[in-house]
Amino acid sequence: MSAITSDPVLAVASDADAAATAAAIATDSADSTAPMLSDAQPSPLDATAGDDDSDAAVAKTKTEEVQVQEVENGAAPDPKDPEYKVYRTRFLAVATVFLANVSNALIWATYVAVTPTTAAYYNTSNWNINLVSLIFTATLVVFILPAMWVVDNWGVRTATLFGSWVTALGAAIRALSYFAPAESRLAVLYVGQIIGGIAQPFLLDVPTKTAAVWFPSKERLTANTVMNLGQPIGTAIASLLAPGVVTDASDTTAIDLLNVITFGVALLFAVPSIFVKARPPTPPSKSASVESTSFWVGLKRAVANRYFMLLAFCYALLLSCFNVFTTFASTYLTPYGYSETDSGNTLVIIIVVGIVTAGVVGVVMDRIKQHRLALKVISWVLFVGVLLYYFACAPDRYGLLYAACVVIGLGAIPVMALSLELGVECLHPVAEGTTAGIMWCLACALTVAFTFASYGLTDPDGDMRHAVILVLALLACSAVLLMFYNVANRRIMFEESTDKRVDDDTEFQLTIVEAAEDPKTDASNK
């Protein structure tokens, strides 16, 4: 690291830690060639991202002082480790990824609350409109591997730029269906949806990476939660926007206006991606200063670790159930006399409650580090919510229906960030894009399978009560299996250790896990 001569250095007395800090800084100077970040080679879209090391400040060591550094853009040290700094520009990174996911989810869920009206406009069946959402999911399974590679090797900037603008392109093509002949409109809609779906794996995979390279340990889960909230918030916006635009079910031309609005939002939300950087000038934490395992080695290690695969499978069950639930939101309720507006309101309740819950869970877990316990409890909460929803699938049960949606919201939204963070913790130092990508891929593959299964369980009169039972069974399976996941949080343990840096942390990881887990369990995990 090189100093900025114009920046002030603030000295804070700390008799107890002075000697340790002096030794740590001396080690830094001696090891200036060590890898500083888990982000690998720079992106061709980010030619200047790796030249910011000169923006970092260097403390002058003193025997009796710990020196706290400030840099030109407002960096502040992580209180637990004064050597690592955080930058205000990390909030720009979070906002950019968040907005990109909002727009992508808006494209995914545009028609879920107005499925019958959309089907009438495109002169097709409700099922073919439900396939519009499914196309997004299926496309992710195909493109998740290149997305993982891009996130891990080219970083946050490239993935966010690509995902944001490809989402806008897909939305533009959907809007152009207005000019297509009536018999070709559905095909144009599908093309736009496929292109938007190509962007999704890049945007879903990038939050965990962004949190790792931009945020210290005490903020990571909160940051990951905020970015992942882009998906449910985008779904909530779609659930409110669509019924608001399509106010008359007989006026199918309102679908054109809906498509134009969603394109405008996607275009606007893509603009911030131009300004985001791949990584900060210096790492925010010890784990961010260690180079990640190479992509293919990390991929093999992840697939071979049965505890990680157990976690990934449980996450896939939980998320696929929520995706299926969202896809059929209006189809579940309309047979019982509920309107499309009612189905949209249920999604909004779920998402608003989930956003608040996820925010609280993220902040609390960043402090107490009980990620596993929280995930186990939340999975059962989600099961109870869907059970209440099952009994609410009857005419005029608005009270029970809305109560069920509140409970579902408590469980459904916090699951995402918690599970993705645990995936990184389980396999550290495997790259964050690899672990998140595998988990998203499984979730989307199961979403496709369960969507077709739910459609097959639909009664001839449109009743989907048996499909809700399927969701209940899958949620119960996931909640039970999660009770057997008890792997230590390796990244957190690494950061709390006294070791300065570990480039190849295999021996270190074995040591800390053996100290924290049952020897038989750890031996099988290795």
Side-chain angles (χ1 to χ4, degrees):
M1 296 186 292
S2 59
I4 297 178
T5 58
S6 61
D7 285 344
V9 176
L10 305 180
V12 179
S14 179
D15 292 340
D17 297 334
T21 304
I25 295 173
T27 304
D28 242 2
S29 300
D31 191 29
S32 59
T33 60
M36 291 299 295
L37 293 165
S38 57
D39 239 352
Q41 66 251 33
S43 159
L45 296 175
D46 187 34
T48 62
D51 297 327
D52 290 328
D53 283 340
S54 61
D55 294 334
V58 176
K60 296 179 181 179
T61 61
K62 294 183 180 181
T63 307
E64 301 295 332
E65 296 175 335
V66 172
Q67 301 192 334
V68 179
Q69 305 164 28
E70 288 188 347
V71 296
E72 194 168 3
N73 67 349
D78 180 357
K80 292 186 177 179
D81 194 343
E83 180 187 355
Y84 300 103
K85 299 181 296 295
V86 292
Y87 297 78
R88 284 198 296 263
T89 48
R90 71 192 188 279
F91 299 117
L92 172 62
V94 165
T96 301
V97 175
F98 168 79
L99 291 175
N101 274 287
V102 168
S103 65
N104 191 261
L106 179 61
I107 303 305
W108 171 65
T110 302
Y111 312 113
V112 294
V114 290
T115 299
T117 304
T118 308
Y121 174 76
Y122 286 102
N123 193 27
T124 188
S125 64
N126 286 356
W127 168 246
N128 284 337
I129 297 304
N130 286 330
L131 282 178
V132 170
S133 299
L134 194 62
I135 284 172
F136 246 57
T137 307
T139 305
L140 182 144
V141 176
V142 175
F143 286 91
I144 189 63
L145 190 63
M148 291 161 56
W149 189 88
V150 167
V151 170
D152 284 342
N153 288 275
W154 287 354
V156 172
R157 175 176 168 82
T158 301
T160 307
L161 268 172
F162 180 85
S164 299
W165 289 100
V166 171
T167 296
L169 175 62
I173 292 174
R174 293 197 326 177
L176 291 175
S177 65
Y178 169 78
F179 300 101
E183 64 274 11
S184 303
R185 284 178 178 172
L186 184 63
V188 176
L189 173 66
Y190 279 2
V191 171
Q193 203 72 6
I194 289 172
I195 292 177
I198 292 173
Q200 190 182 41
F202 294 86
L203 297 177
L204 292 180
D205 207 22
V206 79
T208 307
K209 183 73 169 181
T210 306
V213 301
W214 278 95
F215 286 83
S217 175
K218 66 184 182 66
E219 297 177 356
R220 265 198 309 256
L221 180 57
T222 302
N224 202 340
T225 298
V226 170
M227 290 180 283
N228 277 290
L229 284 178
Q231 288 288 321
I233 288 176
T235 304
I237 293 173
S239 302
L240 287 173
L241 177 65
V245 174
V246 188
T247 55
D248 184 357
S250 63
D251 182 17
T252 57
T253 58
I255 298 298
D256 289 321
L257 177 59
L258 181 61
N259 287 339
V260 171
I261 292 173
T262 54
F263 164 64
V265 172
L267 184 63
L268 178 65
F269 285 4
V271 173
S273 65
I274 299 172
F275 306 101
V276 74
K277 293 183 178 181
R279 55 185 179 265
T282 57
S285 66
K286 185 189 295 187
S287 62
S289 69
V290 177
E291 187 174 8
S292 298
T293 304
S294 64
F295 177 74
W296 292 110
V297 172
L299 186 63
K300 292 176 183 178
R301 184 179 297 179
V303 173
N305 188 307
R306 66 169 177 258
Y307 291 99
F308 170 75
M309 294 307 296
L310 170 65
L311 175 66
F313 179 67
C314 291
Y315 171 73
L317 286 176
L318 292 169
L319 190 66
S320 61
C321 287
F322 181 67
N323 288 342
V324 169
F325 191 89
T326 303
T327 300
F328 291 107
S330 59
T331 317
Y332 282 147
L333 296 176
T334 49
Y336 302 106
Y338 297 101
S339 67
E340 291 180 338
T341 301
D342 293 330
S343 63
N345 289 340
T346 60
L347 286 178
V348 171
I349 291 172
I350 291 172
I351 293 168
V352 170
V353 173
I355 289 170
V356 175
T357 306
V360 172
V361 169
V363 172
V364 173
M365 290 303 113
D366 270 336
R367 268 56 179 181
I368 67 174
K369 310 297 185 186
Q370 295 294 322
H371 298 49
R372 289 173 296 174
L373 176 61
L375 182 61
K376 292 173 183 179
V377 171
I378 286 172
S379 64
W380 284 110
V381 171
L382 180 57
F383 171 80
V384 171
V386 176
L387 181 63
L388 293 174
Y389 187 92
Y390 172 80
F391 290 109
C393 287
D396 298 322
R397 292 187 179 177
Y398 286 95
L400 181 59
L401 177 64
Y402 293 148
C405 292
V406 169
V407 180
I408 291 173
L410 292 173
I413 308 302
V415 157
M416 288 188 287
L418 272 173
S419 300
L420 294 171
E421 282 292 298
L422 279 173
V424 178
E425 296 292 343
C426 178
L427 288 178
H428 179 76
V430 173
E432 299 81 11
T434 301
T435 58
I438 292 172
M439 296 172 77
W440 279 112
C441 182
L442 284 176
C444 290
L446 292 185
T447 297
V448 173
F450 297 155
T451 299
F452 281 102
S454 296
Y455 182 73
L457 291 171
T458 305
D459 292 341
D461 60 357
D463 191 309
M464 297 193 71
R465 187 178 296 270
H466 295 100
V468 180
I469 293 176
L470 172 65
V471 171
L472 277 171
L474 295 172
L475 289 175
C477 177
S478 177
V480 171
L481 289 175
L482 277 174
M483 304 304 291
F484 297 96
Y485 180 80
N486 293 300
V487 177
N489 295 331
R490 301 186 177 203
R491 181 173 59 175
I492 292 174
M493 284 187 165
F494 168 59
E495 290 179 331
E496 291 177 349
S497 73
T498 57
D499 289 315
K500 176 71 178 59
R501 275 187 174 79
V502 181
D503 293 333
D504 180 4
D505 73 330
T506 303
E507 181 179 353
F508 172 76
Q509 294 292 358
L510 299 184
T511 302
I512 61 173
V513 173
E514 285 171 357
E517 297 180 343
D518 179 81
K520 294 181 180 178
T521 302
D522 182 65
S524 59
N525 187 29
K526 293 180 284 186

